[in-house]
Amino acid sequence: MKVSETVRLIRLAKGITQKQVAAQLNIPVQTYNGYELGRRKIHVELLKEIAIVLDEPIQKFFSDGIYITKKNEYSA
């Protein structure tokens, strides 16, 4: 699974909107959407910031496995 897809799944599992993440990153929501859809490359520095916003260790975006929350279960 691509990093962009994992970012999206984790964000959804946490119930956070793209608009909320974009606001925290101080970028337009359209730009953030491009990252999640894989139209834009997520560079390491940005991924670090996304990890902070989503309150996840950066390694989580590279691991294969299952991401589980109390509400949802997603394959990652």
Side-chain angles (χ1 to χ4, degrees):
M1 178 173 285
K2 295 180 181 179
V3 171
S4 59
E5 293 169 340
T6 304
V7 168
R8 180 176 177 83
L9 290 176
I10 291 172
R11 179 186 59 76
L12 288 171
K14 291 182 173 265
I16 300 171
T17 66
Q18 286 186 344
K19 186 175 180 178
Q20 290 170 316
V21 176
Q24 295 251 341
L25 297 174
N26 200 28
I27 60 174
V29 70
Q30 296 86 350
T31 300
Y32 181 76
N33 179 267
Y35 291 124
E36 280 196 4
L37 293 177
R39 289 190 217 139
R40 293 174 170 265
K41 290 185 180 183
I42 302 175
H43 297 284
V44 174
E45 291 302 317
L46 178 63
L47 189 58
K48 285 183 195 176
E49 292 181 39
I50 292 171
I52 291 167
V53 171
L54 297 178
D55 192 30
E56 289 290 337
I58 198 166
Q59 297 87 346
K60 186 65 127 182
F61 300 102
F62 298 101
S63 63
D64 291 329
I66 298 176
Y67 185 79
I68 300 172
T69 66
K70 292 178 185 175
K71 296 167 93 177
N72 302 308
E73 182 176 313
Y74 293 98
S75 295

